[in-house]
Amino acid sequence: MNVHILLNMNVHITNFRRGDDRVKDNVDTLVMKHISKTFGGQRALSDAHINIKPGEVHGLLGQNGCGKSTLIKILAGYHAPDPGGSLEINGRVIKLPLHVGEFRKLGMSFVHQDLGLIPSLSVLENLRIGEIASKNRWNISWSKERKLAKEIFKQFNLNIDPSDKVSDLTQVERALLAIVRAVKEIQTQEAVQQSNRGLLVLDEPTVFLPRMGIDQLFGLVREIAKIGLSVLFVSHDLDEAKEITNRITILRDGHVVKTVETSQTTKEQLISAIIGRELETVDFRNSITDNKKIDIFVNNLSGKIIRDVSLSLRKGEILGLTGLVGSGFHEIPYLLFGADKASGHLEMDGESFDLSRMSPNKAISTGLALIPGDRQNSGGIGTLSILDNVVIQVIQNYFRKLRLNRKDMYNATHSLLTEFDVRPGNPRLDFQNLSGGNQQKALLAKWFQTNPKILLLDEPTQGVDVGARQQLFKIVREAAESGTSVICASSDYEQLATICNRVLIFAHGVVVRELIGIDITKERITEQCYNSLDNVVSL
């Protein structure tokens, strides 16, 4: 179904503005001062402060482990701060710590990366479950609830059927549903109705959204801010933060570094504040010459969307694949690895492989390695240790007389974690406890033990902070320089412009454009992805 974000907010604003205006316009929606939090002697937050103005979209940026999540969890009542901090909401002093769930009565609501929806339930049930549960209602008129849900969606001009299951919605629709639910939860609180103020916290809401979906979500966020709600936008993506926020607060090592006006701050200045130093600009595009031998060929590759695609790859080349949502480029790593059903052939080292018979086990033995976009569920096993995740592909190397040598496994894994700068570097920690960037580095360490000839990457820096992002770029470049060929499928145009020697643009399952050399820029890739090109380029 299509979701439109051309919002008609007249009815919505009328409903929201009822009640008296007892809060002066110059009073901030939220003020936190001297907020600290200690875990086992380790300071996660130290004397942090943040203020959010009415109707403002306020960014919160910083590397993983900088204290963003801790700050949010204090607001949600999940963590109790150390003594000495203060919280004001709409000029009213609020006693800390907050109780779990108290944030609702104060006019706050949270939308996290996982969205907090129940896929097996209907849109209606997900939308109204909080309101129904809070009033302890035993008799529910579902016809009235359905009518109310339609009115809510009409206010936001969203074409969502309340009867649909959430599992049938697109990822964009799910995100919009979660945000609308959060807004309605805020508006039902008496404190909000009296003050015309509230705070919506969006914690990494765009990580799994395509660019077009992000545009839709931002349209909704802007309209929410127009009606008086404040939005705290937490993200790793600096371009998104620059696009949607009015001001940005930056955390580093548990301290607030600064709060800046977004329009007056460059991306480079944001990066320097986040990592504590200027970021080295590296251009990998000319790290391979045209006279290097073409030794990998993919012929007549087809899948669910991809149709009869052929491409070539030089040894040590980084080839980028991109396009708009539904163009098919994301299929290619999985088709080549045998994870999805394919037809076509792969030629490598003078040998031809029928891709219709390819399997992950055969791909690994052939010299392919795949790091999928969903690293938590498909790339690794979150509940197992880092050690188990790293050694699983080479576990046969640690058998001694039919017994596993666990000491050697531990020592080898510890060395790899040190080499790839995985933090914390304790092999016995659960994989799921690592940040996104450190999970990705651990997976690269895992696969590089197999000495792959082709490294297949799908959205390798999705949900990764700016510091880890540069480390991943360096690891991939070093792999290419050592002779590994890399295929990187990504919707992050800046990333492709930074690391790729060539970029192929896809549309409707075929390659429509090849970019090389000085044409590999974020702007040029964006332009070519959005242009309708009729002729397929022969590569």
Side-chain angles (χ1 to χ4, degrees):
M1 64 181 72
N2 294 323
V3 180
H4 306 286
I5 306 301
L6 300 173
L7 299 178
N8 180 354
M9 304 300 293
N10 293 335
V11 176
H12 188 50
I13 294 172
T14 300
N15 291 339
F16 185 72
R17 290 296 183 186
R18 67 180 182 268
D20 53 12
D21 294 327
R22 289 187 278 182
V23 178
K24 295 180 180 179
D25 289 340
N26 61 354
V27 174
D28 289 337
T29 299
L30 178 138
V31 178
M32 299 180 79
K33 293 181 179 179
H34 309 298
I35 301 296
S36 299
K37 179 61 182 176
T38 305
F39 295 101
Q42 184 73 31
R43 275 281 179 98
L45 274 177
S46 183
D47 199 35
H49 54 275
I50 185 171
N51 71 297
I52 302 174
K53 299 176 180 180
E56 174 183 46
V57 181
H58 193 106
L60 184 62
L61 302 182
Q63 296 189 69
N64 287 318
C66 70
K68 301 191 303 291
S69 295
T70 302
L71 186 68
I72 290 171
K73 288 178 179 178
I74 288 172
L75 268 181
Y78 186 82
H79 288 326
D82 297 344
S86 67
L87 170 64
E88 293 182 16
I89 295 179
N90 296 321
R92 175 186 166 198
V93 177
I94 306 299
K95 184 179 178 180
L96 291 172
L98 296 179
H99 302 299
V100 175
E102 187 179 357
F103 63 84
R104 291 188 180 90
K105 295 180 180 179
L106 298 172
M108 293 187 287
S109 192
F110 295 76
V111 177
H112 299 287
Q113 188 179 116
D114 63 6
L115 302 180
L117 301 174
I118 304 174
S120 60
L121 296 183
S122 69
V123 168
L124 173 60
E125 290 166 325
N126 275 274
L127 180 66
R128 299 292 293 157
I129 193 169
E131 174 72 7
I132 293 170
S134 66
K135 292 185 177 179
N136 198 22
R137 292 164 54 187
W138 296 100
N139 295 319
I140 302 171
S141 173
W142 288 109
S143 60
K144 290 183 179 179
E145 292 295 336
R146 191 172 294 106
K147 182 179 179 181
L148 179 59
K150 288 181 178 179
E151 290 174 354
I152 291 172
F153 291 137
K154 185 178 180 181
Q155 290 170 5
F156 289 92
N157 202 24
L158 299 183
N159 185 22
I160 299 178
D161 188 338
S163 301
D164 283 348
K165 276 192 173 183
V166 166
S167 58
D168 294 330
L169 300 182
T170 66
Q171 194 65 28
V172 177
E173 291 166 339
R174 294 185 194 190
L176 295 170
L177 171 61
I179 292 174
V180 169
R181 181 178 68 176
V183 171
K184 299 309 294 184
E185 287 177 351
I186 292 173
Q187 293 177 330
T188 60
Q189 301 305 319
E190 183 179 352
V192 175
Q193 293 172 358
Q194 292 178 350
S195 67
N196 300 330
R197 306 284 187 81
L199 177 65
L200 174 63
V201 180
L202 299 180
D203 186 6
E204 299 280 2
T206 62
V207 169
F208 301 113
L209 296 186
R211 178 64 243 185
M212 293 173 69
I214 293 171
D215 291 339
Q216 292 178 319
L217 186 145
F218 281 0
L220 179 57
V221 169
R222 290 186 182 99
E223 294 300 332
I224 288 169
K226 284 181 183 178
I227 64 173
L229 289 185
S230 303
V231 179
L232 180 60
F233 181 80
V234 185
S235 179
H236 286 310
D237 193 305
L238 303 189
D239 288 324
E240 291 180 9
K242 286 279 291 176
E243 179 180 347
I244 193 61
T245 64
N246 304 108
R247 291 189 303 146
I248 294 172
T249 293
I250 298 165
L251 282 168
R252 186 174 71 240
D253 299 328
H255 296 81
V256 171
V257 178
K258 59 173 65 175
T259 295
V260 298
E261 295 286 339
T262 306
S263 61
Q264 299 175 16
T265 309
T266 66
K267 184 176 178 181
E268 291 70 27
Q269 289 170 330
L270 289 176
I271 292 173
S272 296
I274 288 169
I275 67 176
R277 56 180 172 81
E278 289 190 3
L279 195 63
E280 178 185 0
T281 301
V282 183
D283 187 344
F284 302 148
R285 290 173 296 179
N286 298 319
S287 60
I288 187 167
T289 58
D290 290 340
N291 60 11
K292 283 210 172 186
K293 181 183 177 183
I294 299 176
D295 57 1
I296 298 170
F297 298 89
V298 176
N299 298 316
N300 308 117
L301 177 66
S302 295
K304 290 181 179 179
I305 302 176
I306 290 297
R307 297 181 288 111
D308 200 30
V309 166
S310 296
L311 55 87
S312 60
L313 194 61
R314 291 179 170 87
K315 184 176 182 180
E317 182 179 20
I318 303 175
L319 176 66
L321 314 176
T322 194
L324 298 181
V325 177
S327 61
F329 71 93
H330 275 300
E331 283 190 347
I332 289 183
Y334 303 94
L335 295 173
L336 294 177
F337 197 69
D340 288 340
K341 188 176 181 180
S343 64
H345 288 82
L346 169 67
E347 294 182 17
M348 183 169 60
D349 296 335
E351 190 173 358
S352 179
F353 301 91
D354 184 349
L355 291 173
S356 67
R357 298 181 179 180
M358 185 65 78
S359 67
N361 282 337
K362 186 173 182 180
I364 294 167
S365 64
T366 302
L368 277 66
L370 169 67
I371 298 184
D374 187 355
R375 54 181 165 266
Q376 182 74 263
N377 297 309
S378 302
I381 303 174
T383 55
L384 294 183
S385 68
I386 301 171
L387 184 151
D388 291 334
N389 276 276
V390 168
V391 303
I392 193 169
Q393 293 304 141
V394 292
I395 197 167
Q396 69 276 4
N397 297 342
Y398 296 100
F399 277 100
R400 303 289 185 270
K401 297 181 179 180
L402 302 181
R403 297 183 64 182
L404 276 175
N405 188 323
R406 296 191 175 275
K407 182 179 179 181
D408 284 357
M409 287 169 56
Y410 180 90
N411 290 337
T413 303
H414 190 271
S415 295
L416 279 171
L417 298 186
T418 301
E419 179 184 349
F420 284 79
D421 194 29
V422 178
R423 303 182 186 183
N426 181 354
R428 294 193 175 95
L429 287 178
D430 283 354
F431 181 76
Q432 63 190 3
N433 291 334
L434 293 176
S435 67
N438 284 297
Q439 285 182 355
Q440 202 74 323
K441 287 186 284 184
L443 292 177
L444 285 167
K446 160 189 166 180
W447 282 108
F448 281 164
Q449 295 173 99
T450 67
N451 298 313
K453 297 174 183 176
I454 304 177
L455 177 63
L456 305 169
L457 303 173
D458 180 22
E459 300 290 359
T461 59
Q462 184 169 257
V464 173
D465 67 54
V466 65
R469 181 185 174 94
Q470 295 301 311
Q471 289 180 300
L472 292 171
F473 289 169
K474 183 179 179 182
I475 291 170
V476 171
R477 181 195 184 190
E478 289 175 349
E481 288 177 342
S482 69
T484 299
S485 300
V486 180
I487 295 178
C488 178
S490 177
S491 55
D492 185 334
Y493 304 151
E494 182 176 34
Q495 169 186 281
L496 295 172
T498 301
I499 67 172
C500 293
N501 306 112
R502 285 188 298 141
V503 174
L504 303 182
I505 311 293
F506 283 74
H508 306 296
V510 296
V511 178
V512 294
R513 182 67 70 197
E514 178 186 41
L515 300 180
I516 59 174
I518 61 173
D519 270 345
I520 305 179
T521 65
K522 178 182 176 181
E523 294 73 22
R524 183 68 169 154
I525 296 172
T526 303
E527 172 193 317
Q528 292 302 315
C529 283
Y530 280 91
N531 277 345
S532 292
L533 301 174
D534 297 326
N535 298 321
V536 178
V537 177
S538 178
L539 300 177

